[in-house]
């Protein structure tokens, strides 16, 4: 799904690129997720989606230290 290629200016460097299969898959995933997001927003409404996204942002901003117990 990924390919490492040499950088023309410096053979020591490598560039990681998506293969054609991965590029097509990424497109299919983007289309699917866009459709799923539209369905979820239609079901719950923009204000509930905004609140949900704020909660997700909060949880993803936590560090592992926040989950340690004594």
């Amino acid at each position: 799904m990924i390919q490492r290629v040499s950088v023309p200016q410096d053979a020591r460097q490598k560039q990681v690129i998506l293969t054609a299969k991965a590029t097509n898959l990424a497109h299919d995933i983007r289309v699917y997720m866009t459709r799923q997001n539209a369905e979820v927003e239609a079901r719950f409404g923009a204000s509930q989606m905004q609140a949900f996204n704020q909660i997700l942002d909060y949880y993803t901003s936590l560090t592992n230290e926040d989950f340690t117990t004594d």
Side-chain angles (χ1 to χ4, degrees):
M1 296 273 225
I2 59 172
Q3 181 178 358
R4 283 178 36 157
V5 296
S6 294
V7 175
Q9 299 82 357
D10 187 347
R12 297 171 296 173
Q13 292 183 341
K14 301 295 182 201
Q15 183 178 17
V16 178
I17 60 172
L18 294 178
T19 63
K21 182 178 180 178
T23 300
N24 291 336
L25 184 58
H27 170 75
D28 293 345
I29 291 169
R30 195 173 297 112
V31 169
Y32 173 80
M33 291 306 299
T34 299
R35 185 174 56 242
Q36 290 299 102
N37 285 338
E39 289 179 20
V40 169
E41 189 166 334
R43 169 71 169 87
F44 293 101
S47 63
Q48 284 184 306
M49 287 299 298
Q50 183 179 11
F52 178 69
N53 284 325
Q54 288 174 335
I55 292 167
L56 286 179
D57 288 343
Y58 169 74
Y59 277 115
T60 57
S61 70
L62 296 176
T63 64
N64 287 335
E65 293 176 11
D66 293 328
F67 293 109
T68 59
T69 58
D70 294 310

